[in-house]
Amino acid sequence: MSTLAEVLRPRFARGPAGTVVPARIGVRVYDVLLVLAGSALIALSAQVAVPLPFSPVPVTGQTFAVLLVGAALGATRGTAAVLAYLAEGAAGFPVFAGGLAGPAVLLGPTGGYLFGFLPAAWICGALAERGWDRRFLTTLASMALGDLAIFAVGIPWLARFVGAENAITFGLAPFVAGNLAKVVLAAGALPLAWAGVRRIRGR
């Protein structure tokens, strides 16, 4: 099944393999634009950050953006968008939470959550390619799995800095309610987008 990015692919970016060179270039240009747009959305969402005085991990809008980007772009492009985002931050662009940048952020306490975005985007993208993003309950399930992937990487990483006994207290408990809200919002947004596409296309 197709993702939203495929369904909305513009005419200049269509054409099966073996078509004329300009058509193939259009396909590649569209894919690159999607990856860059996805990384930009994640970067913008990172600036919506609320520091917590008791935890090195801030509350941000990144989870919402990563799950949406993965589902809308698909597994390959969604993961590539996250990779582009991490590369931009490592290169010194102020795209991490609070406008931070540099390799030290990736190696610091929040690095595990940032790297956890990779499997999260891939999971949501892979499930969207199987049609999970077209109904609220299946979208909710895919978003929840993606969110769990972030914590599965982030919490053990954080434990290296705060100790295993504090990792749940500092790295999970403060974020459960907020992440649940973000997952529900993302799960509602995608089926609505599909409904809009079907309405526009008269299906």
Side-chain angles (χ1 to χ4, degrees):
M1 301 181 80
S2 298
T3 61
L4 278 171
E6 286 300 324
V7 171
L8 299 175
R9 182 179 288 274
R11 182 166 303 189
F12 81 87
R14 296 175 187 169
T19 55
V20 294
V21 172
R24 293 204 301 272
I25 292 176
V27 170
R28 298 293 175 258
V29 167
Y30 181 65
D31 288 343
V32 170
L33 289 176
L34 286 175
V35 168
L36 293 177
S39 70
L41 179 61
I42 298 170
L44 286 173
S45 71
Q47 307 318 308
V48 182
V50 179
L52 299 177
F54 55 86
S55 173
V57 184
V59 175
T60 74
Q62 287 171 293
T63 302
F64 179 75
V66 167
L67 301 179
L68 273 183
V69 166
L73 270 58
T76 300
R77 285 178 300 231
T79 305
V82 174
L83 277 172
Y85 167 71
L86 297 179
E88 290 158 7
F93 293 96
V95 296
F96 295 139
L100 297 178
V105 178
L106 292 174
L107 299 176
T110 61
Y113 295 91
L114 294 170
F115 286 114
F117 293 162
L118 292 167
W122 188 89
I123 288 169
C124 290
L127 292 175
E129 290 167 2
R130 290 160 175 78
W132 282 46
D133 61 337
R134 310 206 180 187
R135 297 179 182 84
F136 177 78
L137 288 179
T138 52
T139 306
L140 184 65
S142 70
M143 298 291 168
L145 289 171
D147 198 40
L148 286 173
I150 296 173
F151 284 114
V153 180
I155 291 174
W157 184 291
L158 179 64
R160 298 166 51 224
F161 297 87
V162 301
E165 68 280 5
N166 295 318
I168 298 297
T169 301
F170 294 158
L172 175 63
F175 308 101
V176 171
N179 276 37
L180 179 60
K182 286 182 275 189
V183 165
V184 171
L185 284 173
L190 287 164
L192 282 176
W194 277 110
V197 169
R198 288 192 293 269
R199 191 174 297 113
I200 291 170
R201 298 193 165 198
R203 290 189 277 178

